[in-house]
Amino acid sequence: MTRHEEQGGTGRAVGRRARALRIAGLTLAGALVLGAAAAGWAYWHLNNNITGVDINSALGDDRPARAVIAPPVTASAAASPLPTGSLNILVLGSDSRSGKANQALGGGDSSGARSDTAMVMHIDAGRTEATVVSIPRDTLVTRPSCPLPSGGSTAMAYQTMFNSAYSVGGPVCAVKTVESVTNVRMDHYIEIDFSGFARLVDALGGVDVTTEQDIDDDKSHLHLAAGDHHLDGTQALALARTRHGIGDGSDLGRIGLQQTLVKALLERIAATDLLTAPARLYQVADAVTASLTTDTGLDSLKELMNLGQSLKGLTADRVRTVTMPVVPAPFDPNRVVAKEPAASTLWASLR
């Protein structure tokens, strides 16, 4: 082989390597662009899933004072931009009647929605401990006059069921009624509907719960023997709605099951390393945001992520669940009223 032939062969080999490198580089660049585009689309999609309600503007200044409790600033706290002050969040589970998914899960017709579950979540300063207070939906309260999105306002109502506030005035009236009953300022509002809850549980791979007694409820379509169970989303939702198959059939028995589910969800989230499973993380985020309504202080993915990160030290064993103290209403055994002074003492501890 001549020197010219050797150089030609070497040149062709170098050329092939150069082309291969260019192709690999273009492929990598394309993958990075597509990855960035996919990430951008995912963020946009999740962000636009969330529905926001401007509760602060609707209610104005006629509200309880904000809590100003915050832990002492330490070197580590000063280095972190995450908030650490105490919070009170009204969490509602609504039996929304819109959409095929909600109707299939028991949401009924499309004429409206009710707040099937109501909890005030108080997060202590430092955000490593919390108290979740359930409010029975059958509690008789004085419902204040609430502003309506279309203008005007609802009429004040006496001795009316607590969950009527959401029915007549939506999130704004639900917040105003809770603040009127408790004299505690709600810093945020979070609402998730039937389908969103079921999808969240499924995205997490189900939840593990222990039932203390047999449950046989034809209305919620749930039939479980006492013991340990792994529930999918539909079953978990049925457990959250069950009332006729346990205890005396009142809302108080159902609240106990809902509190069990809250703990089970927290434990499941803690046990699932979502950061190492991007597909699972996206499923969970999509399930939550698709059926989520919040106040405008939480109606973006960034704000929700900041809240979640600020609660990273809050574990299931540091969450206390209680029910607002109640007694049967004197004129209607199927309804309850706040038990005083125990109820007022509980709410005062959350201010």
Side-chain angles (χ1 to χ4, degrees):
M1 181 181 294
T2 66
R3 179 177 299 180
H4 177 74
E5 289 173 329
E6 289 178 353
Q7 289 175 343
T10 303
R12 285 192 294 272
V14 171
R16 285 195 296 271
R17 286 197 297 271
R19 285 194 298 274
L21 288 172
R22 283 197 298 272
I23 292 171
L26 289 171
T27 301
L28 177 60
L32 290 173
V33 168
L34 289 174
W41 178 87
Y43 187 93
W44 175 88
H45 174 72
L46 295 174
N47 203 57
N48 281 271
N49 269 349
I50 307 166
T51 300
V53 177
D54 193 352
I55 291 173
N56 287 338
S57 293
L59 295 184
D61 296 327
D62 185 21
R63 305 176 65 185
R66 290 185 184 275
V68 293
I69 302 172
V73 177
T74 63
S76 59
S80 173
L82 294 174
T84 57
S86 62
L87 282 178
N88 288 303
I89 304 174
L90 175 60
V91 181
L92 290 189
S94 73
D95 65 344
S96 173
R97 296 161 183 219
S98 61
K100 293 181 179 179
N102 281 317
Q103 291 179 28
L105 291 168
D109 58 35
S110 58
S111 62
R114 298 166 297 181
S115 55
D116 218 37
T117 304
M119 298 178 175
V120 174
M121 183 174 187
H122 173 78
I123 303 166
D124 290 350
R127 305 198 178 181
T128 58
E129 295 185 345
T131 300
V132 177
V133 184
S134 297
I135 303 176
R137 70 175 193 172
D138 295 339
T139 305
L140 297 179
V141 300
T142 297
R143 190 184 69 224
S145 174
C146 302
L148 294 171
S150 57
S153 59
T154 66
M156 179 178 286
Y158 300 93
Q159 297 297 318
T160 188
M161 282 177 56
F162 165 77
N163 71 338
S164 69
Y166 183 91
S167 299
V168 302
V172 170
C173 199
V175 170
K176 189 172 180 64
T177 300
V178 169
E179 291 184 343
S180 175
V181 169
T182 66
N183 197 30
V184 176
R185 172 75 169 244
M186 296 297 110
D187 299 294
H188 291 298
Y189 171 85
I190 295 176
E191 174 193 332
I192 189 166
D193 65 21
F194 273 6
S195 64
F197 179 80
R199 284 184 62 201
L200 171 60
V201 172
D202 284 336
L204 288 169
V207 292
D208 298 313
V209 300
T210 299
T211 56
E212 302 297 333
Q213 58 181 304
D214 295 344
I215 297 175
D216 190 19
D217 190 345
D218 290 332
K219 291 193 174 182
S220 68
H221 309 292
L222 186 67
H223 304 279
L224 293 176
D228 299 331
H229 302 279
H230 183 78
L231 307 181
D232 63 19
T234 300
Q235 292 170 319
L237 177 63
L239 185 67
R241 300 182 64 216
T242 289
R243 65 183 291 181
H244 299 287
I246 56 170
D248 61 359
S250 73
D251 199 38
L252 299 179
R254 173 166 56 181
I255 284 175
L257 296 177
Q258 292 170 350
Q259 292 172 344
T260 296
L261 272 174
V262 168
K263 290 289 190 73
L265 274 174
L266 289 174
E267 290 169 354
R268 185 65 177 175
I269 291 170
T272 306
D273 191 358
L274 296 175
L275 294 180
T276 62
R280 174 69 64 85
L281 175 60
Y282 178 80
Q283 281 184 310
V284 171
D286 192 39
V288 171
T289 57
S291 302
L292 198 67
T293 299
T294 73
D295 65 282
T296 48
L298 288 179
D299 65 348
S300 74
L301 198 57
K302 180 180 179 181
E303 289 162 337
L304 284 174
M305 289 171 63
N306 283 342
L307 175 62
Q309 290 170 352
S310 77
L311 301 178
K312 60 185 178 182
L314 181 62
T315 55
D317 61 320
R318 294 182 175 181
V319 176
R320 181 172 67 111
T321 56
V322 298
T323 302
M324 183 182 79
V326 293
V327 294
F331 48 85
D332 187 346
N334 295 317
R335 303 287 180 260
V336 295
V337 294
K339 180 181 179 181
E340 297 295 356
S344 293
T345 300
L346 172 62
W347 296 124
S349 70
L350 307 186
R351 294 186 193 122

